[in-house]
Amino acid sequence: MSNVTFPASEGELRAYLARPDGDGPWPGVIVIHDIVGMSSDLRDHADWFARQGFVALAPDLYSWGNKVACLRSTFRDLRAGRGRSFEDIEAAKAWLTAGDECSGKVGIIGFCMGGSFALLMAPSGNFDVSAPKYGEVPDDAVDVLAGSCPIVASFGARDRMLRGHAAKLETALDKLGVDHDVKEYPDVGHSFMNRLGPRIVQVALAKTAYGFSESATQDARARILSFFNTYLA
């Protein structure tokens, strides 16, 4: 496990790279952070993928400048569906596949804001499978997601911000004939796969529409692993 830099659209970006034990090449995964940015939680997700036999790269999309400016720029790109953030994600994938450690097959996963990016990258032709976690689904999902790679998505039914988004995504993917597994967990809310802060904060958040759930996380990871093993083998 190591901190690395890679050439992106307008200069170098920092990232966290997690490798499995043994010799590669391995299938790759690009791990996109939530609004918080690079965190121990994000590195834990990358490490989990490495333990499952994937080489995982988690780019820090905020590492090119002031965090407030980066945050504004990133959300502007997300609303527009194009821009520097998308180019930086593509650059992360290009850097990963250029090395000898990656087999050339690459999936993408993202959480919250990163989940929205993972979903919008699905029809780009750059990834073999996508795993958006509680990312926003566009109203014109059928048009936006045409030509998508397989998608395994997870939502929380107590997530007030994304009410109805799981059903909207499943309907769109059914119409498009995209292989998918969309699941809404009834007893959890937003960020249920993310450990947000100390244990006391996690316990408090679990009583609201936010917060970590061990059981939902384990189930979601099993579904992700099944899809990634199928499409990245």
Side-chain angles (χ1 to χ4, degrees), residues 6-231:
F6 66 93
S9 60
E10 299 180 42
E12 288 197 332
L13 288 185
R14 295 190 296 271
Y16 178 75
L17 181 66
R19 304 176 181 87
D21 292 331
D23 298 321
W26 306 282
V29 180
I30 301 297
V31 187
I32 308 299
H33 58 70
D34 56 16
I35 193 173
V36 175
M38 182 61 69
S39 63
S40 59
D41 179 74
L42 187 73
R43 290 188 285 270
D44 286 344
H45 282 293
D47 290 343
W48 179 82
F49 274 108
R51 292 194 297 273
Q52 312 312 310
F54 302 89
V55 56
L57 181 69
D60 184 352
L61 300 180
Y62 299 161
S63 62
W64 55 265
N66 174 275
K67 186 169 183 177
V68 174
C70 292
L71 185 61
R72 288 174 178 166
S73 174
T74 302
F75 272 90
R76 185 170 59 247
D77 293 347
L78 196 54
R79 288 192 298 271
R82 63 183 183 277
R84 176 177 186 157
S85 302
F86 289 92
E87 295 168 3
D88 288 343
I89 293 170
E90 291 171 357
K93 187 254 186 177
W95 182 85
L96 185 63
T97 55
D100 295 335
E101 294 179 328
C102 182
S103 67
K105 290 280 193 176
V106 181
I108 184 170
I109 186 172
F111 305 89
C112 186
M113 178 193 81
S116 297
F117 277 111
L119 183 60
L120 294 179
M121 292 301 296
S124 69
N126 287 302
F127 294 96
D128 297 288
V129 62
S130 174
K133 305 296 123 185
Y134 29 87
E136 186 174 1
V137 180
D139 290 335
D140 54 347
V142 173
D143 295 329
V144 172
L145 299 177
S148 287
C149 62
I151 292 173
V152 51
S154 301
F155 299 86
R158 296 178 64 197
D159 186 347
R160 300 186 188 100
M161 296 184 297
L162 298 178
R163 243 173 223 157
H165 282 238
K168 180 165 55 173
L169 179 58
E170 184 145 38
T171 297
L173 297 179
D174 281 340
K175 288 182 179 178
L176 292 168
V178 173
D179 191 15
H180 63 277
D181 174 0
V182 178
K183 185 170 181 177
E184 185 176 70
Y185 293 88
D187 299 321
V188 301
H190 199 72
S191 298
F192 70 83
M193 291 186 73
N194 298 110
R195 297 181 186 273
L196 304 173
R199 176 64 180 166
I200 189 170
V201 175
Q202 295 175 35
V203 171
L205 286 172
K207 300 179 184 301
T208 71
Y210 295 85
F212 180 75
S213 166
E214 182 69 41
S215 60
T217 294
Q218 292 304 319
D219 186 83
R221 281 182 164 177
R223 293 168 45 242
I224 293 165
L225 190 58
S226 175
F227 253 59
F228 279 38
N229 280 336
T230 296
Y231 292 103

